[in-house]
Amino acid sequence: MVKFSDRTMEKFKSVVSKYPKKDAALLPTLWLAQQEFSAITPEVEEYVAELVGVSPVRVQEVRTFYTMYTPKPLGKYHLQLCTNIGCMLLGAEDILAHLKGRLGINVGETTSDGKFTLSTAECLGHCGTAPVIRINDDFHENLTGESLDKILGSLK
Amino acid sequence: MAILTKNFEKKSSYTMGVYEQGGGYKALKKAISEMKPGQIVEEVMKSNLRGRGGAGFPTGKKWSFIPKDSPKPKYLTVNADEGEPGTFKDRPLMEQDPHAVIEGSIITCYAVDIHTAFIYVRGEYAKSIQRLRDAINEAYASKYLGENILGSSFGLDMVVHRGAGAYICGEETGLLESLEGKKGQPRMKPPFPAIVGAFQGPTVINNVETMAAIPHIITNGGEWFNNLGAPGVGGGVKLYSISGHVKRPGVYELPMGTTLKEIIYEHAGGIRGEKKLKAVIPGGSSAPVLTADEIDVKMDFDSLAAIKTMLGSGAIIVMDEDTCMVKALKVLMKFYAHESCGKCTPCREGTGWMARIISRIHRGEGEISDLDTILSISNTINGKTLCPLGQAAIGPAISFITKFRGEFENYIRRGSN
């Protein structure tokens, strides 16, 4: 059975106290769960449901509505390339082709060594420095094939 | 012009020390010690400040709709779910000057008698979230937040709420649903959030840039702010995000009502590679596109509405003569289909059809009649959805196809561009 560590449980209690209703803490609790368990599996959904006092189906409904909660563990580095208009105009398609070639995977897949998961994303709010990729929580801007190779090479 | 952006270049601009050195939190002190809440609302009305999220509703007027004698707690929700494609002006405010956003929010709460504020930040903006959380902790330590702020009887708590990836949560009632721990599906209006908002209480929802303008209005007066706008326009300064095929993309702080031509050719340096301009989206991807000969227009709410487009978030997306309009529209339609929340049938089904049809055209399998089918679907969505997402999707669909019909037809005949 899944269970928060003591430290995460403390964080959870603090989060819940900030909202007028317990179930309003569902999104932040899913964030905590994703950090702790790497993915929001059905088992995690049930655990979160119990924590915030809602039905498991409500948790699943919310988890599937938002793109940033993942039902299965991602690679060590989650590559999210923006392909919306600002990045498209400045060559995001070429960058995507370059990434697929280099990693040997398609969008939505993870490399066999578990290092990289490749995704495309809608506008990430960095259009002034397009094309942009989000790798885990960090943004890398003004991408070229060359700069991307350097970035990927530096990720251990 | 550097008012909202005045701290951006300073080292450690996001810390309390640097913010206070530049005069930060003096507006809050003035508001609490010298002004009655009603005076603040009045000053904001005089400033002609209109909501910077996209709808452009007058901020002071919005505040005045909040019932004074509500038995239920009232809330402020700062909309930091910046997701309109082309928009990247709230992020630098949160990353470089989070205290300005916080100070404006505290003043807003004081003016409207609110004691709990949430800042709803899109999930991808991890750095903005961290900077805001750190700044809020500093503000509590300096007694700008918490109980008895600056020795007054006014108290306020402020919480950063992280979104999780959904464009629809930038729509104010979708945002409220999400804040309450649900799917971000918009609510029926009325009741408007000012009456029944977060947790059923009266709620003010304001954009990040709107909040950042408040301290300046309090310090220098509403009239001063209004006069910062272009002559005959007013309404203060505006952060314009400009992207696409320009030499110097970025965020520019300029008088509200600066012309689109001036922004593209003077501030952003013109088109890359000395190419010709083909098209511009003036206010984020939902704003109907303009052709190259329509750019002699003032960038303010009314001037753009007069030529049937909108200022929206002030996000300018520039496309040069080599841009394939079929591909550009395909990317946008895919976006709206992906982001439609699924609640209203015309939007849920219509955005999906439009995306599939334009993709088919892009693959070279289109027919001329497909263009009229897209226009007909747009007509079916028009005015028949609870929230503006459906409307946002048909803005580009109709304008791209009607203004660049020749290019679309040629593409269909040839099967490529």
Side-chain angles (χ1 to χ4, degrees):
Chain A
M1 217 193 79
V2 293
K3 195 170 178 292
F4 276 165
S5 63
D6 290 349
R7 198 160 157 260
T8 305
M9 188 50 93
E10 283 309 307
K11 281 189 193 167
F12 166 71
K13 284 178 185 159
S14 152
V15 161
V16 165
S17 72
K18 291 176 180 167
Y19 292 86
K21 284 173 68 197
K22 200 175 178 186
D23 63 332
L26 179 50
L27 267 74
T29 307
L30 282 171
W31 277 120
L32 289 174
Q34 185 152 304
Q35 277 151 20
E36 180 111 346
F37 309 120
S38 310
I40 311 291
T41 60
E43 196 187 7
V44 173
E45 284 172 3
E46 282 185 34
Y47 178 62
V48 168
E50 202 183 301
L51 281 175
V52 300
V54 298
S55 62
V57 72
R58 158 96 175 265
V59 178
Q60 187 172 69
E61 200 176 78
V62 166
R63 194 269 297 163
T64 53
F65 186 83
Y66 298 93
T67 56
M68 295 180 77
Y69 298 126
T70 178
K72 54 176 197 227
L74 302 168
K76 185 176 177 194
Y77 297 103
H78 186 199
L79 312 177
Q80 298 162 273
L81 181 74
C82 173
T83 52
N84 207 307
I85 184 113
C87 289
M88 179 281 272
L89 290 173
L90 295 174
E93 270 181 331
D94 296 341
I95 302 282
L96 182 60
H98 182 86
L99 269 174
K100 285 181 184 171
R102 186 183 154 117
L103 302 173
I105 53 173
N106 274 313
V107 173
E109 294 176 352
T110 301
T111 52
S112 54
D113 59 0
K115 192 168 172 187
F116 297 111
T117 298
L118 179 60
S119 300
T120 54
E122 295 300 350
C123 186
L124 292 170
H126 286 64
C127 328
T129 44
V132 66
I133 194 167
R134 185 169 181 268
I135 303 181
N136 296 345
D137 274 347
D138 297 321
F139 290 92
H140 301 269
E141 307 168 290
N142 297 309
L143 289 179
T144 61
E146 208 175 293
S147 72
L148 190 57
D149 284 342
K150 232 183 235 174
I151 294 160
L152 294 184
S154 72
L155 299 174
K156 299 295 165 212
Chain B
M1 197 169 273
I3 291 159
L4 301 180
T5 56
K6 70 172 184 155
N7 292 327
F8 281 18
E9 301 302 319
K10 293 179 188 169
K11 195 167 172 265
S12 306
S13 60
Y14 46 87
T15 59
M16 176 65 83
V18 174
Y19 186 65
E20 284 187 319
Q21 264 167 30
Y25 287 105
K26 277 192 183 150
L28 176 64
K29 286 172 191 158
K30 180 179 174 183
I32 287 187
S33 61
E34 297 171 29
M35 297 172 83
K36 291 212 162 67
Q39 283 175 290
I40 295 171
V41 178
E42 212 170 282
E43 218 47 61
V44 172
M45 281 190 179
K46 269 193 233 163
S47 75
N48 204 7
L49 174 66
R50 293 171 66 170
R52 299 298 195 235
F57 197 83
T59 303
K61 199 169 174 186
K62 190 183 250 187
W63 296 358
S64 73
F65 292 154
I66 299 291
K68 291 204 168 44
D69 49 359
S70 166
K72 287 185 176 155
K74 298 183 269 196
Y75 297 97
L76 168 70
T77 306
V78 179
N79 187 342
D81 194 49
E82 181 164 75
E84 177 72 13
T87 315
F88 49 99
K89 49 99 184 164
D90 291 338
R91 182 172 50 81
L93 281 170
M94 293 186 280
E95 288 182 1
Q96 302 307 325
D97 210 1
H99 281 290
V101 181
I102 293 166
E103 185 180 9
S105 304
I106 302 171
I107 295 170
T108 303
C109 290
Y110 173 70
V112 195
D113 191 30
I114 289 170
H115 305 284
T116 309
F118 294 97
I119 306 181
Y120 187 109
V121 190
R122 68 177 294 182
E124 293 88 348
Y125 280 4
K127 190 167 165 188
S128 296
I129 290 166
Q130 196 53 50
R131 289 266 161 95
L132 282 167
R133 284 188 173 147
D134 291 346
I136 286 172
N137 288 339
E138 286 183 311
Y140 271 104
S142 300
K143 311 275 183 224
Y144 296 135
L145 282 172
E147 288 172 10
N148 303 108
I149 292 171
L150 295 166
S152 71
S153 59
F154 173 64
L156 174 67
D157 283 311
M158 195 172 282
V159 179
V160 174
H161 182 93
R162 184 182 187 183
Y167 169 70
I168 194 62
C169 294
E171 194 280 334
E172 58 181 16
T173 62
L175 183 150
L176 293 175
E177 288 289 295
S178 182
L179 181 65
E180 294 182 9
K182 300 175 212 161
K183 294 183 287 185
Q185 291 188 315
R187 299 173 180 172
M188 175 94 93
K189 292 192 275 191
F192 289 91
I195 310 299
V196 182
F199 309 104
Q200 302 294 304
T203 302
V204 173
I205 304 167
N206 280 145
N207 172 261
V208 169
E209 185 188 345
T210 310
M211 288 293 93
I214 299 297
H216 301 283
I217 292 170
I218 296 309
T219 303
N220 302 300
E223 207 181 312
W224 168 87
F225 187 78
N226 186 35
N227 289 335
L228 294 173
V233 176
V237 283
K238 170 82 193 100
L239 299 184
Y240 296 102
S241 325
I242 181 164
S243 63
H245 298 133
V246 287
K247 288 181 192 161
R248 293 192 299 270
V251 176
Y252 292 90
E253 182 176 24
L254 295 166
M256 177 67 88
T258 304
T259 71
L260 182 52
K261 196 176 191 172
E262 180 185 327
I263 300 174
I264 296 173
Y265 283 97
E266 292 180 30
H267 303 287
I271 312 302
R272 289 184 185 196
E274 306 308 330
K275 286 189 180 152
K276 279 197 197 126
L277 174 67
K278 182 181 210 170
V280 193
I281 297 174
S285 68
S286 311
V289 70
L290 297 174
T291 61
D293 50 20
E294 289 178 298
I295 62 166
D296 222 342
V297 61
K298 287 179 181 168
M299 287 288 289
D300 64 86
F301 294 106
D302 298 336
S303 303
L304 286 164
I307 60 165
K308 297 193 166 50
T309 182
M310 60 185 190
L311 177 65
S313 57
I316 301 161
I317 304 163
V318 176
M319 293 172 262
D320 72 15
E321 57 187 321
D322 295 338
T323 307
C324 172
M325 298 308 273
V326 173
K327 190 163 129 190
L329 185 60
K330 183 196 83 166
V331 166
L332 294 178
M333 291 301 102
K334 179 182 143 270
F335 168 71
Y336 290 105
H338 181 256
E339 301 298 340
S340 175
C341 81
K343 188 164 180 169
C344 308
T345 309
C347 172
R348 181 187 65 237
E349 301 303 321
T351 54
W353 284 335
M354 292 200 293
R356 289 190 294 276
I357 294 170
I358 192 73
S359 291
R360 189 172 71 219
I361 293 174
H362 186 247
R363 284 198 309 271
E365 297 162 13
E367 291 168 24
I368 300 289
S369 63
D370 284 340
L371 298 176
D372 290 321
T373 305
I374 292 176
L375 294 177
S376 155
I377 295 167
S378 296
N379 192 38
T380 305
I381 295 174
N382 192 7
K384 298 175 196 73
T385 56
L386 285 179
C387 93
L389 192 142
Q391 220 63 29
I394 69 173
I398 296 172
S399 61
F400 270 64
I401 289 175
T402 51
K403 291 185 181 181
F404 296 92
R405 180 137 192 154
E407 181 178 337
F408 278 85
E409 289 186 357
N410 284 337
Y411 189 107
I412 291 168
R413 281 194 204 99
R414 287 199 296 259
S416 68
N417 84 9

